[in-house]
Amino acid sequence: MTDIGNLARHSAREIAEKVRRRELSALEVARFFLERIQRLDPRVKAFLRVFPKEAEGAAKKIDEKVSRGEPVGRLAGVPVAIKDNILVEGTETTCASKILEGFVAPYDASVVQKLKQEDAILIGKTNLDEFAMGSSTENSAYFPTRNPWDLRRVPGGSSGGSAAAVACRMAPLALGSDTGGSIRQPAALCGVVGLKPTYGAVSRYGLIAFASSLDQIGPLANDVADLALLFRVIGGHDPKDSTSLAGAPADEELTRLKPQISGLRIGLPREYFTTDLDREVAQAVERAAKNMEKLGARLSQVSLPHTRYAVSTYYLIAPSEASANLARFDGIRYGPSLLKNGKDTASLSLETLYEENRGRGFGPEVKRRIMLGTYALSSGYYQAYYGQAQKARTLIRQDFEAVFQNVDLLLTPTAPTAAFLFGEKTSNPLQMYLSDALTIPANLAGLCGLSLPCGKTGAGAPIGLQLLGPPLQELRLLQAAFAYQESFSWEPCPLS
Amino acid sequence: MILAKPGYLPTIGLEVHIQLATRSKLFCSCSAKVFGEPPNSSICPVCTGQPGALPVLNAGAVELALRAALALQCQVHPTSVFARKNYFYPDLPKNYQISQYESPLAEKGLWEIPGSPTKKIRITRLHLEEDAGKLLHTVGREALEYSLVDFNRSGIPLIEIVSEPDLTGAEEAFRYLTALKSAMQYLEVSRCDMEKGELRCDVNLSVSESSSRLGTKVEIKNLNSFRSVKDAIQHEIERQSQMLRTGARILQETRLWNAQGGLTESMRSKEEAHDYRYFPDPDLPPLQLNPKKIEEVRSSLPELPASRKNRLQTEYLLSEPEAQVLTLTKPLADFFERGAQHLKAPAPKAPDHSTLVRDFSNSLVNELLGKLHAENLEIESSPVGPEFLAALILLRTERNLPQKIIKDILEAAFQKKEKALLQEDPATARKTAEAWIQNVGIISDSNSLTPLIRQALFENHQAAEDFRAGKEQALSALVGSVMKKTSGKANPQQVNQLLREALGKK
């Protein structure tokens, strides 16, 4: 029998395998992680909601299936934490916003359906920056999540809850979403691995949209092979999402991932290694590059000349789309509303109703971006802002297309700094926006990218490196990351 | 009717919204047949704008829109783009409408409206968009303190057809709309039932003092019948002309038609107009139509009403008004042509084809349509098929039966509604018609008629004497009297003959 205390060190693959072989019961697994959440989360605050009853119920059903000798899914008995902007039918989904407080999802997101089909256990919903707008989870309307490595520091964002939960093993796997780095940046800051799939590789149906042309759901895990497994489960074409790409991900190769880096041409884009970069971060990534060279990769310096336009391009396109996406939150069909407060609504004008509901429901960062986007789309300004941003986006995409003629992957730091202190950047939104400067271009170009740990600062904060690949080259990306991971010893988060 | 005074030139363009006759909505699989259904009974996460829900385009709607665009001789764009039109209103669940803006499905069409002379109206654009829901302010007759929203209509597929300002008056606009509606029905693009909201129209109108400069444009909304379009245009031309006459300035604004008051009322000025902040919808990739598909649809377009009317006139020797009526709807024209092709009377006493066709057309328009109308039925649900009606016409002519027999048989047929009446095989239809003629009971044997003739002569002895004295027209009173006694079930020619015999004149 497996030592239950050791479960925190198990990979998701091992857990599923042992449940399948009846060496572990899914119920034991569920209870272990629920207990761990109960013990650790009061300090970390990664979860907005935990589902003990539902998780145990689902675990029992899996155990019954196993004992009847029926086949079970790829994620049999594996707890998965879900970012709270992804719908799970019958449970509250808030996007960490007051405007959706009490909103019960009427259907399952496509990725959640797939998790259920593979017998995963949905263990809880994780915290985020309100509507995924932010890089520290400090914009959550409920509470900030803390970095399990150092509780005085932020976990990154916006998928900070998912990254923190995986880092201190409150769940072996988690789902996040990445619009400008929201999976990769918190993965880097929390010392875990996170993948932003190619735009269209994972269905967005049931992901509450922030910026539809940039949003992608992706996995977070403690090792690259687990990351590949979860990507395999959630990926593939979905007829409910018109931007979803045809073709299923490579099944066998992703389920049984093999390390492969030798012979790969890896480019180091000059524009990503600037003086703005924290010295320790730069050094760690350069060390990692040397390491990859030793493993047989061929390194070269490359240039992506339009990188400097990425942040401003992003902060026109994303808020523009958000201003329309978030218009539906008006308190008329769902969410808190003056209409439900028993107020004398007859005397209320429609404008007042909208203003009150939205004025109270949205936090300051969300309002800032709605206003930015509304302005950028306004008649007379559209061409100068949104129109120009679309042109810049094309140039950024062409940069990558050109560079991928000569290299297979790109290697960069994931974030300019390691985890920062609470409040360090909240007073300066622009400073906060720059923490995504290295991750944003991949979203603008629709590439796949991942972040994985490559070292720590002197103060012990994790540092992440980013690998970027051409569209739909997740397998190449994951195999290279796997090879690097195997060459590098990584001590997991000490919090217990 | 008040016309614009000479020198005041009205310029009119129409924006017509037409509901496509698809089974499901534009971006989800909810049923699009929602008229009369209970509120919020055809809804889902997509058409109620639930968080996370995404649109998926209905290919059937694209095909219908394409058919409409090609029939209006538009240039169809191989790539068109869906855009979000942003505004807040409780009947719009996402608070944006998915429409098309910078790159519509089709542009630059031409639509010829019949009449003498015919007139060509340029079509600016044709695009696809989704409908909004409906606000209810009353339940039954009771006014509510609040409003309710019914999302059944939300996501219903529409096309918007925008014309160039080529129309010059109310009558012309009316003809444009009538022809457009008929064409859309022919194409099976839409049923165009205005009462069900399947066709809606906004008017853009200006009146100018000189032909070289256009006047200020006013938009008129809330037009829910062709009649109100006509009335509103007439009223607005008069209002603007009057203002110009007195030197007043016309404001660019949107006005609502008040049908009860018979006038337009200001709704919002140009300054209050929405900034819709259109931008391409990132949830929907650009709509690509390959040229082969476009050509396929083009070659499968059915004959349109104007050309069908011309063809019926030449092929069946119908008068223009007759052909006009018969081509009003496609099912009616189909009924006519199906019946007409069986109207070849057997020799030797064959009357000429065009007489039979005229008979058939008259019975169809005057008798059958009248019956259908009285029972609130469409020609598609007529209990009598074209083959049966054609057989009746033939038999009546061959056997010299009274005209009234058609009416009587239709009367009985509408009550019985037998399946045999819809028989498509001409021989079977003829047998059925023979049996029905038998049943209606034509009085043709002299034994039954003789007593009635005697009685008529007795009652109208003055007429009888007049006739004997050589007054030929006195006979018709006698024939009428006999016919009355048979309740019209005798053959008047036979009665005529028998009367002459009885009066000793052959």
Side-chain angles (χ1 to χ4, degrees), chain A residues 107 206 242 325 327-328 330 333-334 379, chain B residues 48-49 51-52 55 84 93 95 275:
Chain A
Y107 66 97
S242 310
N325 282 330
R328 69 186 65 191
D330 57 12
R333 281 144 303 131
Y334 40 74
S379 138
Chain B
T48 58
R84 295 182 180 177
N95 284 323
D275 178 357

Side-chain angles (χ1 to χ4, degrees), chain A residues 60 113 129 141 237 284 311 405 456:
Chain A
K60 281 178 195 160
Q113 270 183 2
D129 288 291
H237 179 253
V311 172
Q405 300 288 316
K456 285 176 200 157

Side-chain angles (χ1 to χ4, degrees), chain B residues 209-241:
Chain B
E209 289 166 286
S210 77
S211 54
S212 57
R213 217 186 59 224
L214 283 178
T216 306
K217 186 178 84 175
V218 168
E219 185 179 8
I220 314 168
K221 287 181 175 289
N222 196 34
L223 303 165
N224 40 34
S225 66
F226 284 8
R227 174 76 207 218
S228 33
V229 173
K230 212 164 147 178
D231 291 350
I233 289 176
Q234 257 163 25
H235 165 82
E236 189 60 21
I237 292 174
E238 189 195 341
R239 187 187 73 88
Q240 292 188 23
S241 303

Side-chain angles (χ1 to χ4, degrees), chain A residues 87 103 107 204-208 212 239-243 324-325 327-328 330 333-334 350 354 374 377-379 382 386, chain B residues 45 48-56 84 86 88-90 93-96 151 275 277-280 282-285:
Chain A
L87 268 55
F103 168 70
Y107 66 97
R204 294 187 293 115
Y205 191 78
L207 167 69
I208 300 183
S212 314
K240 289 181 184 158
D241 175 358
S242 310
T243 61
N325 282 330
R328 69 186 65 191
D330 57 12
R333 281 144 303 131
Y334 40 74
L350 192 56
Y354 286 140
T374 304
L377 292 176
S378 296
S379 138
Y382 179 88
Y386 186 81
Chain B
T48 58
Q50 297 297 314
L54 296 171
V56 177
R84 295 182 180 177
N86 296 286
F88 279 79
Y89 205 65
K94 300 183 292 296
N95 284 323
Y96 62 79
F151 288 114
D275 178 357
R277 306 191 312 281
Y278 284 98
F279 75 104
D283 287 331
L284 291 160

